[in-house]
Amino acid sequence: MDFLYAALDGSSPLFGHIEWDDFDELTNLDTVLRRNPRTSLREGRRFLRGYAWVTVCPAELVTRLGGAAALEDSGAFHRVLPLRAGGVLLQASATMGGYTEQVMERVFEALAPVLPPGAPRPDPAHPDTRFVPRDAATVH
């Protein structure tokens, strides 16, 4: 986390994530919403591309979520590290192994206001994709 924070702190990243066994441009959320990665990238400052054990959220979306302090106060994250350009680095749990279904649910609920709408569906081509099976638009 410290290395990633140092690498990102001077920039205004669109998105970033660290997830178990996920090394391509398609996020878990893109997979289960059947979103094209190009569309996801194009809309990245309007909708967060996904959520993971570690998620980088851009400044524009942090503002819509009430700021870094509101994210920290939500209790959904183990660490919230504000970036100088206004984005945040969010760590869901102390370890990747601690990123349980319950922790993922808390992260999803905290980030739901900036997630793209749509009912997620499992993708048979990606059976190990982890996600919360709820439409973010229905979270209040």
mmCIF file of all heavy atoms in Angstrom, residues 92-122:
data_model
loop_
_atom_site.group_PDB
_atom_site.id
_atom_site.type_symbol
_atom_site.label_atom_id
_atom_site.label_comp_id
_atom_site.label_asym_id
_atom_site.label_seq_id
_atom_site.Cartn_x
_atom_site.Cartn_y
_atom_site.Cartn_z
ATOM 1 N N ALA A 92 -9.806 -2.071 1.762
ATOM 2 C CA ALA A 92 -10.992 -2.615 2.412
ATOM 3 C C ALA A 92 -10.700 -3.352 3.716
ATOM 4 O O ALA A 92 -11.474 -3.270 4.664
ATOM 5 C CB ALA A 92 -11.726 -3.541 1.451
ATOM 6 N N SER A 93 -9.603 -4.088 3.761
ATOM 7 C CA SER A 93 -9.249 -4.874 4.946
ATOM 8 C C SER A 93 -7.736 -4.904 5.077
ATOM 9 O O SER A 93 -7.015 -4.588 4.131
ATOM 10 C CB SER A 93 -9.810 -6.298 4.837
ATOM 11 O OG SER A 93 -9.301 -6.948 3.686
ATOM 12 N N ALA A 94 -7.255 -5.285 6.245
ATOM 13 C CA ALA A 94 -5.811 -5.281 6.496
ATOM 14 C C ALA A 94 -5.053 -6.209 5.551
ATOM 15 O O ALA A 94 -3.941 -5.902 5.134
ATOM 16 C CB ALA A 94 -5.533 -5.665 7.947
ATOM 17 N N THR A 95 -5.667 -7.330 5.204
ATOM 18 C CA THR A 95 -5.038 -8.292 4.300
ATOM 19 C C THR A 95 -6.016 -8.674 3.201
ATOM 20 O O THR A 95 -7.230 -8.529 3.369
ATOM 21 C CB THR A 95 -4.634 -9.587 5.049
ATOM 22 O OG1 THR A 95 -5.834 -10.229 5.518
ATOM 23 C CG2 THR A 95 -3.700 -9.292 6.217
ATOM 24 N N MET A 96 -5.486 -9.198 2.108
ATOM 25 C CA MET A 96 -6.360 -9.645 1.035
ATOM 26 C C MET A 96 -7.249 -10.785 1.515
ATOM 27 O O MET A 96 -8.426 -10.866 1.144
ATOM 28 C CB MET A 96 -5.540 -10.072 -0.183
ATOM 29 C CG MET A 96 -6.397 -10.298 -1.410
ATOM 30 S SD MET A 96 -5.461 -10.714 -2.887
ATOM 31 C CE MET A 96 -4.816 -9.116 -3.339
ATOM 32 N N GLY A 97 -6.714 -11.644 2.362
ATOM 33 C CA GLY A 97 -7.507 -12.738 2.921
ATOM 34 C C GLY A 97 -8.664 -12.246 3.774
ATOM 35 O O GLY A 97 -9.667 -12.938 3.931
ATOM 36 N N GLY A 98 -8.536 -11.050 4.313
ATOM 37 C CA GLY A 98 -9.597 -10.466 5.130
ATOM 38 C C GLY A 98 -10.699 -9.812 4.323
ATOM 39 O O GLY A 98 -11.676 -9.307 4.887
ATOM 40 N N TYR A 99 -10.553 -9.806 2.991
ATOM 41 C CA TYR A 99 -11.573 -9.209 2.129
ATOM 42 C C TYR A 99 -12.687 -10.233 1.934
ATOM 43 O O TYR A 99 -12.814 -10.880 0.909
ATOM 44 C CB TYR A 99 -10.941 -8.772 0.801
ATOM 45 C CG TYR A 99 -11.856 -8.002 -0.110
ATOM 46 C CD1 TYR A 99 -12.534 -6.869 0.328
ATOM 47 C CD2 TYR A 99 -12.037 -8.393 -1.424
ATOM 48 C CE1 TYR A 99 -13.368 -6.151 -0.513
ATOM 49 C CE2 TYR A 99 -12.860 -7.676 -2.291
ATOM 50 C CZ TYR A 99 -13.525 -6.571 -1.832
ATOM 51 O OH TYR A 99 -14.358 -5.860 -2.678
ATOM 52 N N THR A 100 -13.497 -10.373 2.976
ATOM 53 C CA THR A 100 -14.580 -11.358 3.001
ATOM 54 C C THR A 100 -15.809 -10.811 2.280
ATOM 55 O O THR A 100 -15.852 -9.644 1.892
ATOM 56 C CB THR A 100 -14.964 -11.672 4.454
ATOM 57 O OG1 THR A 100 -15.468 -10.460 5.054
ATOM 58 C CG2 THR A 100 -13.773 -12.203 5.255
ATOM 59 N N GLU A 101 -16.802 -11.660 2.150
ATOM 60 C CA GLU A 101 -18.063 -11.231 1.533
ATOM 61 C C GLU A 101 -18.683 -10.075 2.312
ATOM 62 O O GLU A 101 -19.235 -9.148 1.715
ATOM 63 C CB GLU A 101 -19.041 -12.411 1.441
ATOM 64 C CG GLU A 101 -18.535 -13.586 0.619
ATOM 65 C CD GLU A 101 -18.165 -13.228 -0.814
ATOM 66 O OE1 GLU A 101 -18.954 -12.536 -1.485
ATOM 67 O OE2 GLU A 101 -17.076 -13.634 -1.254
ATOM 68 N N GLN A 102 -18.601 -10.120 3.655
ATOM 69 C CA GLN A 102 -19.169 -9.051 4.480
ATOM 70 C C GLN A 102 -18.427 -7.739 4.267
ATOM 71 O O GLN A 102 -19.050 -6.673 4.176
ATOM 72 C CB GLN A 102 -19.140 -9.435 5.966
ATOM 73 C CG GLN A 102 -20.027 -10.600 6.322
ATOM 74 C CD GLN A 102 -19.391 -11.961 5.971
ATOM 75 O OE1 GLN A 102 -18.187 -12.077 5.719
ATOM 76 N NE2 GLN A 102 -20.213 -12.995 5.925
ATOM 77 N N VAL A 103 -17.117 -7.795 4.172
ATOM 78 C CA VAL A 103 -16.322 -6.587 3.926
ATOM 79 C C VAL A 103 -16.642 -6.049 2.534
ATOM 80 O O VAL A 103 -16.833 -4.842 2.348
ATOM 81 C CB VAL A 103 -14.808 -6.883 4.092
ATOM 82 C CG1 VAL A 103 -13.970 -5.698 3.654
ATOM 83 C CG2 VAL A 103 -14.496 -7.254 5.536
ATOM 84 N N MET A 104 -16.719 -6.937 1.543
ATOM 85 C CA MET A 104 -17.036 -6.514 0.183
ATOM 86 C C MET A 104 -18.412 -5.829 0.140
ATOM 87 O O MET A 104 -18.589 -4.831 -0.549
ATOM 88 C CB MET A 104 -17.001 -7.714 -0.772
ATOM 89 C CG MET A 104 -17.236 -7.331 -2.213
ATOM 90 S SD MET A 104 -16.941 -8.664 -3.410
ATOM 91 C CE MET A 104 -17.818 -10.030 -2.708
ATOM 92 N N GLU A 105 -19.358 -6.340 0.883
ATOM 93 C CA GLU A 105 -20.700 -5.741 0.946
ATOM 94 C C GLU A 105 -20.627 -4.319 1.516
ATOM 95 O O GLU A 105 -21.269 -3.400 0.989
ATOM 96 C CB GLU A 105 -21.621 -6.615 1.803
ATOM 97 C CG GLU A 105 -23.014 -6.076 1.989
ATOM 98 C CD GLU A 105 -23.917 -6.250 0.782
ATOM 99 O OE1 GLU A 105 -23.710 -7.189 0.000
ATOM 100 O OE2 GLU A 105 -24.838 -5.426 0.634
ATOM 101 N N ARG A 106 -19.846 -4.118 2.568
ATOM 102 C CA ARG A 106 -19.700 -2.769 3.148
ATOM 103 C C ARG A 106 -19.066 -1.806 2.148
ATOM 104 O O ARG A 106 -19.490 -0.659 2.025
ATOM 105 C CB ARG A 106 -18.867 -2.818 4.429
ATOM 106 C CG ARG A 106 -19.600 -3.399 5.612
ATOM 107 C CD ARG A 106 -18.918 -3.093 6.931
ATOM 108 N NE ARG A 106 -17.492 -3.326 6.964
ATOM 109 C CZ ARG A 106 -16.900 -4.420 7.434
ATOM 110 N NH1 ARG A 106 -17.626 -5.408 7.917
ATOM 111 N NH2 ARG A 106 -15.582 -4.539 7.432
ATOM 112 N N VAL A 107 -18.049 -2.271 1.435
ATOM 113 C CA VAL A 107 -17.392 -1.441 0.419
ATOM 114 C C VAL A 107 -18.388 -1.086 -0.682
ATOM 115 O O VAL A 107 -18.491 0.077 -1.087
ATOM 116 C CB VAL A 107 -16.147 -2.162 -0.153
ATOM 117 C CG1 VAL A 107 -15.620 -1.468 -1.389
ATOM 118 C CG2 VAL A 107 -15.068 -2.270 0.918
ATOM 119 N N PHE A 108 -19.126 -2.075 -1.155
ATOM 120 C CA PHE A 108 -20.131 -1.848 -2.188
ATOM 121 C C PHE A 108 -21.125 -0.778 -1.741
ATOM 122 O O PHE A 108 -21.438 0.151 -2.487
ATOM 123 C CB PHE A 108 -20.853 -3.161 -2.508
ATOM 124 C CG PHE A 108 -22.060 -3.002 -3.381
ATOM 125 C CD1 PHE A 108 -21.928 -2.891 -4.749
ATOM 126 C CD2 PHE A 108 -23.340 -2.964 -2.822
ATOM 127 C CE1 PHE A 108 -23.049 -2.748 -5.570
ATOM 128 C CE2 PHE A 108 -24.458 -2.820 -3.621
ATOM 129 C CZ PHE A 108 -24.315 -2.707 -5.000
ATOM 130 N N GLU A 109 -21.637 -0.892 -0.538
ATOM 131 C CA GLU A 109 -22.634 0.067 -0.053
ATOM 132 C C GLU A 109 -22.052 1.476 0.066
ATOM 133 O O GLU A 109 -22.724 2.450 -0.264
ATOM 134 C CB GLU A 109 -23.226 -0.401 1.266
ATOM 135 C CG GLU A 109 -24.151 -1.582 1.063
ATOM 136 C CD GLU A 109 -24.880 -2.015 2.326
ATOM 137 O OE1 GLU A 109 -24.755 -1.335 3.364
ATOM 138 O OE2 GLU A 109 -25.580 -3.036 2.247
ATOM 139 N N ALA A 110 -20.809 1.578 0.515
ATOM 140 C CA ALA A 110 -20.177 2.899 0.644
ATOM 141 C C ALA A 110 -19.960 3.548 -0.722
ATOM 142 O O ALA A 110 -20.069 4.772 -0.856
ATOM 143 C CB ALA A 110 -18.852 2.771 1.390
ATOM 144 N N LEU A 111 -19.657 2.734 -1.731
ATOM 145 C CA LEU A 111 -19.339 3.257 -3.064
ATOM 146 C C LEU A 111 -20.535 3.248 -4.019
ATOM 147 O O LEU A 111 -20.443 3.806 -5.122
ATOM 148 C CB LEU A 111 -18.187 2.456 -3.672
ATOM 149 C CG LEU A 111 -16.866 2.511 -2.902
ATOM 150 C CD1 LEU A 111 -15.830 1.597 -3.550
ATOM 151 C CD2 LEU A 111 -16.351 3.941 -2.803
ATOM 152 N N ALA A 112 -21.645 2.673 -3.618
ATOM 153 C CA ALA A 112 -22.819 2.532 -4.495
ATOM 154 C C ALA A 112 -23.251 3.829 -5.177
ATOM 155 O O ALA A 112 -23.622 3.798 -6.353
ATOM 156 C CB ALA A 112 -23.983 1.904 -3.732
ATOM 157 N N PRO A 113 -23.216 4.986 -4.498
ATOM 158 C CA PRO A 113 -23.668 6.216 -5.174
ATOM 159 C C PRO A 113 -22.880 6.575 -6.436
ATOM 160 O O PRO A 113 -23.378 7.335 -7.268
ATOM 161 C CB PRO A 113 -23.497 7.301 -4.106
ATOM 162 C CG PRO A 113 -23.572 6.566 -2.807
ATOM 163 C CD PRO A 113 -22.926 5.227 -3.081
ATOM 164 N N VAL A 114 -21.683 6.034 -6.591
ATOM 165 C CA VAL A 114 -20.886 6.368 -7.775
ATOM 166 C C VAL A 114 -20.615 5.158 -8.676
ATOM 167 O O VAL A 114 -19.871 5.261 -9.644
ATOM 168 C CB VAL A 114 -19.551 7.067 -7.396
ATOM 169 C CG1 VAL A 114 -19.830 8.375 -6.688
ATOM 170 C CG2 VAL A 114 -18.661 6.165 -6.561
ATOM 171 N N LEU A 115 -21.240 4.022 -8.361
ATOM 172 C CA LEU A 115 -21.101 2.838 -9.207
ATOM 173 C C LEU A 115 -22.125 2.907 -10.339
ATOM 174 O O LEU A 115 -23.202 3.476 -10.173
ATOM 175 C CB LEU A 115 -21.311 1.566 -8.391
ATOM 176 C CG LEU A 115 -20.252 1.260 -7.338
ATOM 177 C CD1 LEU A 115 -20.680 0.048 -6.501
ATOM 178 C CD2 LEU A 115 -18.896 1.025 -7.968
ATOM 179 N N PRO A 116 -21.808 2.320 -11.489
ATOM 180 C CA PRO A 116 -22.776 2.324 -12.597
ATOM 181 C C PRO A 116 -24.009 1.498 -12.233
ATOM 182 O O PRO A 116 -23.903 0.492 -11.532
ATOM 183 C CB PRO A 116 -22.007 1.691 -13.760
ATOM 184 C CG PRO A 116 -20.897 0.938 -13.133
ATOM 185 C CD PRO A 116 -20.578 1.623 -11.836
ATOM 186 N N PRO A 117 -25.176 1.936 -12.709
ATOM 187 C CA PRO A 117 -26.391 1.173 -12.423
ATOM 188 C C PRO A 117 -26.429 -0.106 -13.258
ATOM 189 O O PRO A 117 -25.742 -0.221 -14.263
ATOM 190 C CB PRO A 117 -27.499 2.130 -12.838
ATOM 191 C CG PRO A 117 -26.884 2.988 -13.890
ATOM 192 C CD PRO A 117 -25.440 3.134 -13.506
ATOM 193 N N GLY A 118 -27.242 -1.026 -12.818
ATOM 194 C CA GLY A 118 -27.432 -2.264 -13.558
ATOM 195 C C GLY A 118 -27.420 -3.454 -12.638
ATOM 196 O O GLY A 118 -26.757 -3.451 -11.607
ATOM 197 N N ALA A 119 -28.185 -4.465 -13.011
ATOM 198 C CA ALA A 119 -28.249 -5.701 -12.242
ATOM 199 C C ALA A 119 -27.095 -6.603 -12.655
ATOM 200 O O ALA A 119 -27.040 -7.053 -13.809
ATOM 201 C CB ALA A 119 -29.583 -6.396 -12.472
ATOM 202 N N PRO A 120 -26.160 -6.880 -11.752
ATOM 203 C CA PRO A 120 -25.032 -7.750 -12.103
ATOM 204 C C PRO A 120 -25.483 -9.195 -12.261
ATOM 205 O O PRO A 120 -26.398 -9.650 -11.583
ATOM 206 C CB PRO A 120 -24.083 -7.589 -10.914
ATOM 207 C CG PRO A 120 -24.943 -7.163 -9.787
ATOM 208 C CD PRO A 120 -26.098 -6.411 -10.376
ATOM 209 N N ARG A 121 -24.833 -9.880 -13.196
ATOM 210 C CA ARG A 121 -25.125 -11.291 -13.442
ATOM 211 C C ARG A 121 -23.809 -12.057 -13.533
ATOM 212 O O ARG A 121 -22.874 -11.591 -14.184
ATOM 213 C CB ARG A 121 -25.888 -11.461 -14.757
ATOM 214 C CG ARG A 121 -27.208 -10.739 -14.816
ATOM 215 C CD ARG A 121 -27.937 -10.951 -16.155
ATOM 216 N NE ARG A 121 -27.108 -11.158 -17.324
ATOM 217 C CZ ARG A 121 -26.762 -10.204 -18.201
ATOM 218 N NH1 ARG A 121 -27.142 -8.968 -18.022
ATOM 219 N NH2 ARG A 121 -26.032 -10.491 -19.259
ATOM 220 N N PRO A 122 -23.745 -13.231 -12.919
ATOM 221 C CA PRO A 122 -22.525 -14.042 -13.054
ATOM 222 C C PRO A 122 -22.219 -14.302 -14.523
ATOM 223 O O PRO A 122 -23.127 -14.437 -15.336
ATOM 224 C CB PRO A 122 -22.872 -15.344 -12.339
ATOM 225 C CG PRO A 122 -24.043 -15.029 -11.474
ATOM 226 C CD PRO A 122 -24.784 -13.910 -12.148
#
